Amino acid sequence: MKRPTSRGFTLVELLVVIAIIGVLIALLLPAVQAAREAARRMQCGSNLRQLSLGLLGYHDVHKRFPPGGMSCNNLSWRCFILPHIEQSAIYDQMKAYRTFDRGECRSGTNNEGTHRANLFAIHRISLFLCPSSDEVGTKSSFNLTDGRKAYCSHYFGVAGPLGYNPVTDQDYTSAFTTQLPYGGYALDGVLGMNSETRIRDITDGTSRTLMLGEMKNGDRNSWTAGAMITGTNDPLSNNGSGTKAQAAMKNVRWAINSPWWDEFGGSDIDNEFAFGSYHPDGAQFALADGAVIFLQESMDMVLYKALSSARGGETTPEPL
């Protein structure tokens, strides 16, 4: 009796099978990536939601929102809401070091600052970071003297719009926008320089006013940094000279995801860097009532600026 012989794959058949597997992987990979990005975007929205609730919790206690950035100690709104986002341990340490009295974020060769503001920025707080961005480090000027690096945040306060308001037939309220090298200050938003906005001040409606937005690389400033001030601690009443950069809040002048280096020819207009994200087609924002929305990068600029204003008098639909 003859033993039956088994027939294996020919080289052509093997190549066909490999090609089919390759096609299936190529079809599956985008779906996997899309699912991962959807999860990251959901987590990012959750971060914004928790931060907005932290701001509202601060308002409940102090009857006002914290300043977007405070010139007297250079700290950001993020520092003030730490007890309201389950980070009381870091907040208590900052209080013990008197960081809130005078907590410069950068101070010459001692980059820990006078009262160690940057010493706390070496703590990575996941709530401050968008999972779609892997740019979590800061400029070298924020490093500690022993070489330790600080972390940034991808969520910034909306200082307000710059430009023409069609309702009032005047420009939105601002200061030193043509004098300061960093772009001056928008003053019609919720979180501005030395701001003390109350909910009742948001006359356009909390459900129609942006409070927080995403920035792709966190502007590479530490999450403790709220303002970079030289010359005076009262930047809104001086002559507009010196270095006055908004490190934790931005003016709304350009469209979402605008490449600022093209708009300004490479100029370092920090205060006007556009909000944006690594999510496809736009970025997420938190409204002053705590709701989180996604805004398309192609949205109408008049509407975008109207939503960025807390008291511009514009009539806009709820962006939900």
Side-chain angles (χ1 to χ4, degrees), residues 241-271:
S241 61
T243 299
K244 315 261 185 319
Q246 299 179 146
M249 61 285 190
K250 299 299 176 185
N251 306 330
V252 172
R253 183 178 181 185
W254 307 108
I256 297 167
N257 283 332
S258 289
W260 61 268
W261 52 89
D262 288 342
E263 305 287 359
F264 301 110
S267 298
D268 195 14
I269 313 293
D270 281 54
N271 297 358

Side-chain angles (χ1 to χ4, degrees), residues 66-274:
M70 183 172 278
S71 61
C72 66
N73 58 22
N74 297 174
L75 298 181
S76 73
W77 57 269
R78 307 178 194 101
C79 300
F80 293 93
I81 69 168
L82 288 172
H84 304 281
I85 57 172
E86 300 182 352
Q87 296 293 336
S88 294
I90 296 177
Y91 181 83
D92 291 342
Q93 291 179 51
M94 295 178 76
K95 293 283 285 186
Y97 279 113
R98 298 184 63 190
T99 305
F100 288 94
D101 295 338
R102 189 173 174 83
E104 285 96 332
C105 296
R106 297 189 292 182
S107 183
T109 57
N110 177 16
N111 290 328
E112 294 183 17
T114 304
H115 287 99
R116 298 179 172 87
N118 263 19
L119 183 60
F120 302 99
I122 65 172
H123 295 288
R124 176 179 179 137
I125 298 180
S126 298
L127 202 60
F128 293 155
L129 300 171
C130 172
S132 289
S133 176
D134 58 3
E135 300 180 60
V136 299
T138 59
K139 303 168 187 175
S140 60
S141 53
F142 287 98
N143 294 346
L144 301 188
T145 51
D146 61 7
R148 285 180 292 174
K149 300 182 183 298
Y151 285 98
C152 71
S153 172
H154 298 129
Y155 306 113
F156 284 69
V158 178
L162 291 181
Y164 177 71
N165 182 345
V167 174
T168 63
D169 198 30
Q170 297 178 345
D171 285 344
Y172 287 103
T173 308
S174 61
F176 309 127
T177 54
T178 60
Q179 294 170 275
L180 295 182
Y182 286 83
Y185 320 106
L187 300 176
D188 265 339
V190 177
L191 298 175
M193 181 72 75
N194 294 338
S195 60
E196 295 184 344
T197 306
R198 298 163 296 181
I199 285 180
R200 69 183 184 185
D201 298 327
I202 307 175
T203 55
D204 290 349
T206 56
S207 63
R208 295 175 173 83
T209 302
L210 302 178
M211 182 165 61
L212 299 176
E214 290 188 80
M215 184 162 289
K216 291 181 178 180
N217 64 358
D219 199 14
R220 301 192 66 206
N221 292 318
S222 71
W223 62 260
T224 57
M228 308 299 179
I229 304 295
T230 62
T232 178
N233 283 336
D234 187 15
L236 296 181
S237 63
N238 73 348
N239 61 4
S241 61
T243 299
K244 315 261 185 319
Q246 299 179 146
M249 61 285 190
K250 299 299 176 185
N251 306 330
V252 172
R253 183 178 181 185
W254 307 108
I256 297 167
N257 283 332
S258 289
W260 61 268
W261 52 89
D262 288 342
E263 305 287 359
F264 301 110
S267 298
D268 195 14
I269 313 293
D270 281 54
N271 297 358
E272 298 180 2
F273 285 178

